[in-house]
Amino acid sequence: MKPVASSPGISRRVLLATLALLPAVSGTILPVPAPAQTATSSAVLPSWSDGATKRAILDFVRATVDRTSPSYVVPEERIAVFDQDGTLWVEHPMYTQVVYSLDRVPIVAAKNPKLGNREPFKKGLSGHREAIARLPMRELEKVFDATMTGMTVEEFNAEVRNWLETARHPRWNRPYTELAYQPMLELLRYLRDNAYKTYIVTGSGQDFTRVYAEKVYGISPEQVIGTADEIKYGYARDGKPFLTREPKLMLKDYGAGKPEGIHFMIGRRPYAAFGNSTGDRQMLEWTGAGAGARLKMLVLHDDAAREYAYGPAAGLPDTRVGTFTPALYDEAKKNGWTVISMKNDWKRIFTFD
Amino acid sequence: MKPVASSPGISRRVLLATLALLPAVSGTILPVPAPAQTATSSAVLPSWSDGATKRAILDFVRATVDRTSPSYVVPEERIAVFDQDGTLWVEHPMYTQVVYSLDRVPIVAAKNPKLGNREPFKKGLSGHREAIARLPMRELEKVFDATMTGMTVEEFNAEVRNWLETARHPRWNRPYTELAYQPMLELLRYLRDNAYKTYIVTGSGQDFTRVYAEKVYGISPEQVIGTADEIKYGYARDGKPFLTREPKLMLKDYGAGKPEGIHFMIGRRPYAAFGNSTGDRQMLEWTGAGAGARLKMLVLHDDAAREYAYGPAAGLPDTRVGTFTPALYDEAKKNGWTVISMKNDWKRIFTFD
């Protein structure tokens, strides 16, 4: 559950307006525009502005799908991996899964009153979410364990499904499942139309994400890789078998855990990888170290008006995980990763826009 | 690496002729024949004899694929899981992966002479394979760790690939990859033709099996679930990232570990499950506990002439894992699992027959 160690309550609240800096900056990062052989018509990826970023996507797909291309990739090897929080949907002011876990605290405490008298649950019940979001990881994990383990996998799925129906994001007052980025939904579909298998590779919970991934992203449960708890097989009194979620981490799908999880779950190196933070660094490095054409992209949150602005211009210390740090920005520049400017590259942010 | 605890060297060598008992026995296990609405023509599953077993497969597929059926299953939920050793290919006289590991001992010892003076490697070098196959699991795991970890994932794949090209099965003097059962290859294809996703769920190594699964079974790496070592991300001196196989188990894909691994890797309950031993019991139970039509099948090795004969008539103690024990046989009978008689239900065993 390391992803949440980034303490969204601290770093993510720093919504610095990087807008002013952005145009100058992206000019140095974006690759030299390829000859305009590709029709960047609005029929494909309609929510993406014409320009170098969109062209990088179209060029990559053409290079790997066209049989006459030297970078042609056979369909069975076409793997594209996507971080979720901040890459496919909104991660501010807190990761959706952290919101879920905090919302579960009073429900769990009602069943187990002793729990409510102990920290960190006492804080969780007090309604001071910023305080709990600032807790060290070890304390936060207690909250995750108390709220997301100890039940059967079916019970967990039902609890998440119920929550998703009623929970609303504080800024848009809409279900979290409506806060996926429209341009990324188009990109997922475009890649799948070109025989790419699209995977989510998230620091958030694997089973949590699986509940809505098919509906929101068109991604089936077996193509969701995430931080995962151990699962235990057992029998009910009537002999019926069941699976229980255990308070023990099996896969920490964050940072180095992302390429490790990709190898474990897929067994192939991806050809395209999309992220937005230091937690995605190794996944993009691993993707980029493969031969042939590889697409590596980072979403830059530079649109305070339509979404949020945070990132490389903020001058945050490099040690902070879960953010688009200046060091990550330098690595992107050095390695030729494409930075997606939400402000400049996306015509629309949400489906409801 | 628990699967190998079954010590093939002991239990598997007991090749008892259960042939005489079989006809009487299978009559009590096989389900009451359904009305012959399905044309069991030889065009579908041509290596399967007409009869109740083949009919059970055809009826299941029709029930879950026909939109007008009350047991209709939407395509995205059509999951079928297959044990490998003894279910999809030959597991006698030793699991293929154990043979591989023993073949690697002299190569590893040549690079590290001290290793060769220590047990269990000394035994491994002596050529007494039965002796090493009889070792307790803790000792065998040392052999697996020494021969299958500590290298990059690419190095491991290359080593396995090279070995598969030259290694031969002692009985047929053919590459192990030719020892897949032709009727099961047809079944895999038939299920895929009906939009089922076919997965291998094996106690053998996940990465080991992935090397040949696409070529032999038409199953891509991401649909191979197996016993898996931890993988570690790191950097070479030139900064290039690599993944190393670590001597630490991540998933023990055997017994209860099979439904646990299925949940972890797929996140859905299968509709069809195929096995041949106590190591597959929980996987079949978990599949069978789901609602609607579910196909649960066990391959019975009752054909000493064309393959091997071992199983429920052998009177082996129930505690022995990795075999088709009398207790498993009773559970199959009680739960209505179909037992596939290799002798009676399969016209051909191998593609080269």
Side-chain angles (χ1 to χ4, degrees), chain A residues 291-340:
Chain A
R294 308 269 170 170
L295 186 64
K296 295 86 57 186
M297 295 190 128
L298 287 171
V299 174
L300 181 68
H301 293 259
D302 58 357
D303 196 331
R306 295 188 300 172
E307 201 241 12
Y308 295 101
Y310 50 99
L316 296 169
D318 289 3
T319 51
R320 204 174 287 281
V321 293
T323 52
F324 195 148
T325 61
L328 181 66
Y329 193 78
D330 290 345
E331 186 169 351
K333 220 160 38 168
K334 198 183 106 204
N335 294 340
W337 300 348
T338 303
V339 174
I340 300 166

Coordinates of all heavy atoms in Angstrom, one line a residue, chain A residues 291-340:
Chain A
A291 N 13.7 -3.1 -27.2 CA 14.0 -2.7 -28.6 C 12.8 -2.2 -29.4 O 11.7 -2.4 -29.0 CB 14.6 -3.9 -29.3
G292 N 13.1 -1.5 -30.5 CA 12.1 -1.1 -31.4 C 11.4 0.2 -30.9 O 11.8 0.8 -30.0
A293 N 10.2 0.4 -31.5 CA 9.5 1.6 -31.1 C 8.8 1.4 -29.8 O 8.1 0.4 -29.6 CB 8.4 2.0 -32.2
R294 N 9.0 2.3 -28.9 CA 8.3 2.2 -27.6 C 7.7 3.6 -27.2 O 8.5 4.6 -27.4 CB 9.2 1.8 -26.5 CG 10.0 0.5 -26.8 CD 9.4 -0.8 -26.3 NE 10.1 -1.9 -26.9 CZ 9.9 -3.2 -26.5 NH1 8.9 -3.5 -25.6 NH2 10.5 -4.1 -27.1
L295 N 6.5 3.7 -26.8 CA 5.9 5.0 -26.5 C 5.9 5.1 -25.0 O 5.4 4.3 -24.2 CB 4.5 5.0 -27.0 CG 3.7 6.3 -26.9 CD1 4.4 7.4 -27.7 CD2 2.2 6.1 -27.4
K296 N 6.5 6.2 -24.5 CA 6.5 6.5 -23.0 C 6.0 7.9 -22.8 O 6.5 8.9 -23.4 CB 8.0 6.5 -22.5 CG 8.6 5.1 -22.6 CD 9.3 4.8 -23.9 CE 10.3 5.8 -24.3 NZ 10.9 5.6 -25.6
M297 N 4.9 8.0 -22.0 CA 4.2 9.3 -21.9 C 3.9 9.6 -20.4 O 3.6 8.7 -19.7 CB 3.0 9.3 -22.7 CG 3.2 9.2 -24.2 SD 1.7 9.6 -25.1 CE 2.3 10.8 -26.3
L298 N 4.1 10.9 -20.1 CA 3.7 11.3 -18.7 C 2.6 12.4 -18.8 O 2.8 13.4 -19.6 CB 4.9 11.9 -18.0 CG 6.0 10.9 -17.5 CD1 7.2 11.6 -17.0 CD2 5.4 10.0 -16.4
V299 N 1.6 12.3 -18.1 CA 0.5 13.3 -18.0 C 1.0 14.4 -17.1 O 1.3 14.1 -15.9 CB -0.8 12.7 -17.6 CG1 -1.9 13.8 -17.4 CG2 -1.3 11.7 -18.5
L300 N 1.0 15.6 -17.6 CA 1.4 16.8 -16.7 C 0.1 17.5 -16.3 O -0.6 18.0 -17.2 CB 2.3 17.7 -17.5 CG 2.8 18.9 -16.7 CD1 3.8 18.5 -15.5 CD2 3.6 19.9 -17.6
H301 N -0.1 17.7 -15.0 CA -1.3 18.4 -14.5 C -1.0 19.9 -14.5 O -0.5 20.4 -13.5 CB -1.7 17.8 -13.2 CG -2.2 16.4 -13.3 ND1 -3.5 16.0 -13.3 CD2 -1.5 15.2 -13.4 CE1 -3.6 14.7 -13.4 NE2 -2.4 14.2 -13.5
D302 N -1.3 20.5 -15.6 CA -1.0 22.0 -15.7 C -2.3 22.8 -16.0 O -2.2 23.8 -16.7 CB 0.0 22.2 -16.8 CG -0.4 21.6 -18.1 OD1 -1.5 21.0 -18.2 OD2 0.3 21.8 -19.1
D303 N -3.4 22.3 -15.6 CA -4.6 22.9 -16.0 C -5.5 23.1 -14.7 O -6.5 22.4 -14.5 CB -5.4 22.0 -17.0 CG -6.5 22.8 -17.7 OD1 -7.0 23.7 -17.1 OD2 -6.8 22.5 -18.9
A304 N -5.2 24.2 -14.0 CA -5.9 24.5 -12.7 C -7.3 24.9 -13.0 O -8.2 24.6 -12.2 CB -5.2 25.6 -12.0
A305 N -7.6 25.4 -14.2 CA -8.9 25.9 -14.4 C -9.9 24.7 -14.7 O -10.9 24.6 -14.1 CB -8.9 26.8 -15.7
R306 N -9.4 23.7 -15.5 CA -10.3 22.6 -15.8 C -10.1 21.4 -14.9 O -11.0 20.6 -14.8 CB -10.1 22.2 -17.3 CG -10.5 23.3 -18.3 CD -10.5 22.8 -19.7 NE -9.2 22.3 -20.1 CZ -8.9 21.7 -21.3 NH1 -9.9 21.4 -22.1 NH2 -7.7 21.3 -21.6
E307 N -8.9 21.3 -14.3 CA -8.7 20.1 -13.4 C -7.8 20.6 -12.3 O -8.3 21.4 -11.4 CB -8.0 18.9 -14.2 CG -8.2 17.6 -13.4 CD -7.0 16.9 -13.0 OE1 -5.9 17.5 -13.1 OE2 -7.0 15.7 -12.6
Y308 N -6.5 20.3 -12.2 CA -5.6 20.8 -11.2 C -4.3 21.1 -11.9 O -4.0 20.7 -13.0 CB -5.4 19.7 -10.1 CG -6.6 19.4 -9.3 CD1 -7.4 18.3 -9.6 CD2 -7.1 20.3 -8.3 CE1 -8.5 18.0 -8.9 CE2 -8.2 20.0 -7.6 CZ -8.9 18.8 -7.9 OH -10.1 18.5 -7.1
A309 N -3.4 21.8 -11.1 CA -2.1 22.1 -11.6 C -1.1 21.8 -10.5 O -1.2 22.3 -9.4 CB -1.9 23.6 -12.1
Y310 N -0.2 20.8 -10.8 CA 0.8 20.5 -9.8 C 1.9 19.8 -10.6 O 1.7 19.3 -11.7 CB 0.3 19.6 -8.7 CG -0.5 18.3 -9.2 CD1 0.1 17.1 -9.3 CD2 -1.8 18.4 -9.5 CE1 -0.6 16.0 -9.6 CE2 -2.6 17.3 -9.9 CZ -2.0 16.1 -9.9 OH -2.7 15.0 -10.3
G311 N 3.2 19.8 -10.1 CA 4.2 19.2 -10.9 C 5.5 19.8 -10.9 O 5.9 20.4 -10.0
P312 N 6.2 19.6 -12.0 CA 7.7 19.9 -12.1 C 8.0 21.4 -11.8 O 9.2 21.6 -11.3 CB 8.0 19.6 -13.6 CG 6.8 19.5 -14.3 CD 5.7 19.2 -13.3
A313 N 7.1 22.3 -12.0 CA 7.5 23.7 -11.7 C 7.3 24.0 -10.2 O 7.7 25.1 -9.8 CB 6.7 24.6 -12.6
A314 N 6.8 23.0 -9.5 CA 6.5 23.3 -8.1 C 7.8 23.4 -7.2 O 7.7 23.9 -6.0 CB 5.5 22.3 -7.5
G315 N 8.9 22.8 -7.6 CA 10.1 22.8 -6.8 C 10.0 21.9 -5.6 O 10.6 22.2 -4.6
L316 N 9.2 20.9 -5.7 CA 9.1 19.9 -4.6 C 10.4 19.1 -4.4 O 11.0 18.9 -5.4 CB 7.9 19.0 -4.8 CG 6.5 19.6 -4.8 CD1 5.5 18.7 -5.3 CD2 6.2 20.2 -3.4
P317 N 10.7 18.7 -3.2 CA 11.9 17.9 -3.1 C 11.8 16.5 -3.9 O 10.7 16.0 -3.9 CB 12.1 17.6 -1.6 CG 10.8 18.0 -1.0 CD 10.1 18.9 -1.9
D318 N 12.9 16.1 -4.4 CA 12.8 14.9 -5.3 C 12.4 13.6 -4.5 O 12.0 12.6 -5.1 CB 14.2 14.6 -5.9 CG 14.5 15.6 -6.9 OD1 13.7 16.6 -7.1 OD2 15.6 15.5 -7.5
T319 N 12.6 13.6 -3.2 CA 12.4 12.4 -2.4 C 10.9 12.1 -2.3 O 10.5 11.1 -1.9 CB 13.0 12.6 -1.0 OG1 12.5 13.8 -0.5 CG2 14.5 12.6 -1.1
R320 N 10.1 13.1 -2.6 CA 8.6 12.9 -2.4 C 8.1 12.0 -3.5 O 8.3 12.2 -4.7 CB 7.9 14.3 -2.5 CG 6.6 14.3 -1.8 CD 6.1 15.7 -1.8 NE 6.8 16.6 -0.9 CZ 6.6 16.6 0.4 NH1 5.8 15.8 1.0 NH2 7.3 17.5 1.2
V321 N 7.5 10.9 -3.1 CA 7.0 10.0 -4.1 C 5.6 10.4 -4.5 O 5.0 11.2 -3.9 CB 6.9 8.5 -3.6 CG1 8.3 8.0 -3.4 CG2 6.1 8.4 -2.4
G322 N 5.1 9.8 -5.6 CA 3.8 10.1 -6.1 C 3.6 11.5 -6.7 O 2.4 11.9 -6.9
T323 N 4.6 12.1 -7.1 CA 4.4 13.4 -7.7 C 5.3 13.5 -9.0 O 6.3 12.7 -9.1 CB 4.8 14.6 -6.8 OG1 6.1 14.4 -6.3 CG2 3.8 14.7 -5.7
F324 N 5.0 14.4 -9.8 CA 5.8 14.7 -11.0 C 6.9 15.6 -10.6 O 6.8 16.8 -10.7 CB 4.9 15.3 -12.1 CG 5.5 15.3 -13.5 CD1 4.6 15.1 -14.6 CD2 6.8 15.4 -13.7 CE1 5.1 15.1 -15.9 CE2 7.3 15.3 -15.0 CZ 6.5 15.2 -16.1
T325 N 8.0 15.1 -10.1 CA 9.1 15.9 -9.5 C 10.0 16.5 -10.6 O 10.0 16.0 -11.7 CB 10.0 15.1 -8.6 OG1 10.5 14.0 -9.4 CG2 9.2 14.5 -7.4
P326 N 10.8 17.5 -10.2 CA 11.7 18.0 -11.2 C 12.7 17.0 -11.7 O 13.0 16.9 -12.9 CB 12.5 19.1 -10.4 CG 11.5 19.5 -9.3 CD 10.7 18.3 -9.0
A327 N 13.1 16.0 -10.8 CA 14.0 15.0 -11.3 C 13.3 14.1 -12.3 O 14.0 13.7 -13.3 CB 14.4 14.1 -10.1
L328 N 12.1 13.8 -12.1 CA 11.3 13.0 -13.1 C 11.2 13.7 -14.4 O 11.4 13.1 -15.5 CB 9.9 12.6 -12.6 CG 9.1 11.7 -13.5 CD1 9.7 10.4 -13.6 CD2 7.6 11.7 -13.0
Y329 N 11.0 15.0 -14.3 CA 10.9 15.9 -15.5 C 12.3 15.8 -16.3 O 12.3 15.7 -17.5 CB 10.6 17.3 -15.0 CG 10.2 18.2 -16.1 CD1 8.9 18.2 -16.6 CD2 11.1 19.2 -16.6 CE1 8.5 19.0 -17.6 CE2 10.7 20.0 -17.6 CZ 9.4 20.0 -18.1 OH 9.1 20.8 -19.1
D330 N 13.4 15.9 -15.5 CA 14.7 15.8 -16.2 C 14.9 14.5 -16.9 O 15.4 14.4 -18.0 CB 15.8 16.0 -15.1 CG 15.8 17.5 -14.6 OD1 15.2 18.3 -15.3 OD2 16.5 17.7 -13.6
E331 N 14.5 13.4 -16.2 CA 14.6 12.1 -16.8 C 13.8 11.9 -18.0 O 14.2 11.4 -19.0 CB 14.2 11.0 -15.8 CG 14.5 9.6 -16.3 CD 14.4 8.5 -15.2 OE1 14.2 8.8 -14.0 OE2 14.4 7.3 -15.6
A332 N 12.6 12.5 -18.0 CA 11.7 12.5 -19.2 C 12.4 13.2 -20.4 O 12.4 12.7 -21.5 CB 10.4 13.2 -18.9
K333 N 13.0 14.3 -20.1 CA 13.7 15.1 -21.1 C 14.8 14.3 -21.7 O 15.0 14.2 -22.9 CB 14.2 16.4 -20.5 CG 14.0 17.6 -21.4 CD 14.0 18.9 -20.7 CE 15.0 19.2 -19.6 NZ 15.1 20.6 -19.3
K334 N 15.6 13.7 -20.8 CA 16.8 13.0 -21.2 C 16.5 11.7 -22.0 O 17.2 11.4 -23.0 CB 17.6 12.5 -19.9 CG 19.0 12.1 -20.1 CD 19.7 11.6 -18.8 CE 19.8 10.1 -18.8 NZ 19.9 9.5 -17.5
N335 N 15.4 11.0 -21.6 CA 15.1 9.8 -22.3 C 14.1 9.9 -23.4 O 13.7 8.9 -24.0 CB 14.5 8.8 -21.2 CG 15.5 8.4 -20.2 OD1 16.7 8.5 -20.4 ND2 15.0 7.9 -19.1
G336 N 13.7 11.2 -23.7 CA 12.8 11.3 -24.8 C 11.3 10.9 -24.5 O 10.6 10.5 -25.4
W337 N 10.9 10.9 -23.3 CA 9.6 10.6 -23.0 C 8.7 11.8 -23.3 O 9.1 12.9 -23.2 CB 9.4 10.3 -21.5 CG 10.2 9.1 -21.0 CD1 10.9 8.2 -21.7 CD2 10.4 8.8 -19.6 NE1 11.5 7.3 -20.9 CE2 11.2 7.6 -19.6 CE3 10.0 9.3 -18.4 CZ2 11.7 7.0 -18.4 CZ3 10.4 8.7 -17.2 CH2 11.2 7.5 -17.2
T338 N 7.5 11.5 -23.8 CA 6.6 12.6 -24.2 C 5.8 13.1 -23.0 O 5.2 12.3 -22.3 CB 5.7 12.2 -25.3 OG1 6.4 11.7 -26.4 CG2 4.8 13.3 -25.7
V339 N 5.8 14.4 -22.8 CA 5.0 14.9 -21.7 C 3.7 15.5 -22.3 O 3.7 16.3 -23.2 CB 5.7 16.1 -20.9 CG1 4.8 16.7 -19.9 CG2 7.0 15.5 -20.2
I340 N 2.6 15.0 -21.7 CA 1.2 15.4 -22.2 C 0.8 16.6 -21.4 O 0.7 16.5 -20.1 CB 0.2 14.2 -22.0 CG1 0.6 13.0 -22.8 CG2 -1.2 14.7 -22.4 CD1 -0.2 11.7 -22.4

